[in-house]
Amino acid sequence: MKEPTFPDSPLADLCRERGLKLTGQRRTIAFVLSDSDDHPDVEELYRRAVEVDPRISIATVYRTVRLFEENGILQRRDFGGGRARYEVADGDHGDHYHLIDADSGKVIEFENPELDALLDNIVREMGYDLVTTRLSVVGRRKAKPR
Amino acid sequence: MKEPTFPDSPLADLCRERGLKLTGQRRTIAFVLSDSDDHPDVEELYRRAVEVDPRISIATVYRTVRLFEENGILQRRDFGGGRARYEVADGDHGDHYHLIDADSGKVIEFENPELDALLDNIVREMGYDLVTTRLSVVGRRKAKPR
DNA sequence: TTGCAAATGATAATCTTTCTCATTAATAGG
DNA sequence: CCTATTAATGAGAAAGATTATCATTTGCAA
Ligand SMILES: [Mn+2]
Ligand SMILES: [Mn+2]
Ligand SMILES: [Zn+2]
Ligand SMILES: [Zn+2]
């Protein structure tokens, strides 16, 4: 196989650590994901991956995001619109949440430890341990008061 | 048209109030929804509707939940699993949220004014007005300590 | 370097939801 | 009550996203 023109990404290393076979396609997709700081869907990932290495099919992108998600490497997000979107799982800093601009669709990330704690408490008081929080808020930019 | 064997439901009245044409099928679907206290998907609504009146097609159920949602009569929910689920919009009491049992899939509703207020504040401080909150938490029942 | 299990590419199948269009029914006005 | 108008419905086709199939290729352990 032809050698890639890019270095192994942090995600590629993670892939190896989990004992997943590191194919050329997976290395490419891992690179593209590490290089992204937004929330691409599969079509968009496919576009970015093909730029790096054309020997890739969309079926493999679907398979790979699923594999990475099952292994805790990726997080799947649902912002409505019918397609799943993906981002690298935050290993280090805590969960973050998403505010979606109602008019532009722009996704704005935020963290809030108070919210983390409150959700944890609510769920605990109901007799459960919190496994996953799925939260996104839609907002409309305020007219600046003058 | 044959007369229905059930009285007009609160949702049927709402339908009329909004100036929507009150067809037999809509009356049936409104009745079934008013009669439900869970979060059925379209297939399940269709099953329940057919029991009440077999002159109904699944296409009409899809059309009707969309219409009702656009008119603020129904709320669409996404608990994962690929199909939308629906419940009557709470006119009176505030928003509620959903805890999903990770093992059984059971949906448990809860309200929390502190959470309402916190989300509102977070969004406002980011310069937005809160439009919609999409929140569900997945939890696993705690082993009872002894 | 080889062998083999696992991954890939191409495309078919699946699943949910929406659309199309001929037929039917609700409602306003007489 | 009757009729006309217009919207709603039923059946099935179509669309859009994701998963499955299967022949071929490839990573990697021996
Ligand atoms: Mn969804
Ligand atoms: Mn409380
Ligand atoms: Zn994010
Ligand atoms: Zn609910």
Side-chain angles (χ1 to χ4, degrees):
Chain A
M1 159 217 154
K2 183 129 168 305
E3 291 308 307
T5 66
F6 54 89
D8 274 11
S9 62
L11 251 59
D13 294 336
L14 253 177
C15 197
R16 225 191 315 258
E17 278 172 34
R18 315 259 159 138
L20 304 173
K21 198 185 277 192
L22 191 54
T23 65
Q25 288 86 342
R26 288 182 185 170
R27 202 192 322 259
T28 297
I29 294 166
F31 173 80
V32 164
L33 283 165
S34 290
D35 205 41
S36 300
D37 63 342
D38 51 353
H39 305 85
D41 61 24
V42 168
E43 292 280 351
E44 178 60 27
L45 279 175
Y46 174 62
R47 270 179 237 118
R48 296 179 193 180
V50 163
E51 298 249 324
V52 175
D53 181 349
R55 298 172 320 140
I56 216 165
S57 86
I58 187 134
T60 296
V61 180
Y62 271 107
R63 276 190 285 245
T64 302
V65 293
R66 189 147 52 108
L67 179 79
F68 284 3
E69 205 233 327
E70 285 163 3
N71 285 78
I73 293 173
L74 269 193
Q75 279 190 282
R76 189 202 314 237
R77 305 290 189 183
D78 181 4
F79 299 145
R83 13 214 314 170
R85 298 173 66 171
Y86 294 89
E87 69 183 315
V88 177
D90 299 331
D92 38 342
H93 50 96
D95 288 329
H96 69 266
Y97 308 99
H98 299 92
L99 165 62
I100 292 132
D101 187 300
D103 300 308
S104 70
K106 191 179 164 207
V107 176
I108 302 147
E109 302 189 329
F110 65 92
E111 294 183 43
N112 190 293
E114 197 181 336
L115 181 52
D116 300 342
L118 179 56
L119 289 171
D120 216 74
N121 279 340
I122 291 170
V123 171
R124 180 168 35 248
E125 272 169 34
M126 293 173 77
Y128 283 79
D129 287 323
L130 181 55
V131 175
T132 314
T133 301
R134 282 207 319 264
L135 167 62
S136 59
V137 291
V138 179
R140 179 161 288 116
R141 186 165 263 142
K142 277 190 292 203
K144 194 167 289 173
R146 55 176 189 78
Chain B
M1 159 217 155
K2 182 130 170 305
E3 291 309 306
T5 69
F6 54 87
D8 274 12
S9 62
L11 252 60
D13 295 335
L14 254 176
C15 198
R16 226 191 314 259
E17 277 169 36
R18 315 258 160 138
L20 304 173
K21 197 186 276 193
L22 192 54
T23 65
Q25 289 85 340
R26 287 182 186 169
R27 203 192 319 260
T28 297
I29 294 166
F31 173 79
V32 164
L33 284 164
S34 289
D35 205 40
S36 300
D37 63 342
D38 53 350
H39 305 83
D41 60 23
V42 167
E43 291 280 349
E44 178 59 28
L45 279 175
Y46 174 62
R47 269 178 238 119
R48 297 180 192 180
V50 163
E51 298 249 324
V52 175
D53 182 348
R55 296 173 321 141
I56 216 166
S57 86
I58 189 140
T60 296
V61 180
Y62 271 105
R63 277 189 286 243
T64 303
V65 293
R66 188 148 53 110
L67 179 77
F68 284 2
E69 205 232 327
E70 285 163 5
N71 285 78
I73 293 174
L74 270 192
Q75 279 190 284
R76 188 199 316 235
R77 305 290 189 184
D78 181 2
F79 299 144
R83 23 228 288 182
R85 299 172 67 171
Y86 294 89
E87 69 182 315
V88 177
D90 299 331
D92 37 341
H93 50 98
D95 287 330
H96 68 267
Y97 307 100
H98 300 92
L99 165 62
I100 292 132
D101 186 301
D103 299 307
S104 70
K106 191 179 163 208
V107 176
I108 301 148
E109 302 190 329
F110 65 93
E111 295 184 42
N112 191 293
E114 198 182 336
L115 181 52
D116 301 341
L118 179 55
L119 288 170
D120 216 75
N121 279 339
I122 291 170
V123 170
R124 180 168 36 250
E125 271 167 34
M126 293 174 77
Y128 283 79
D129 287 322
L130 181 55
V131 176
T132 314
T133 301
R134 283 210 320 265
L135 166 62
S136 59
V137 292
V138 180
R140 178 162 287 119
R141 185 165 266 142
K142 276 189 292 200
K144 192 166 290 172
R146 52 172 192 85

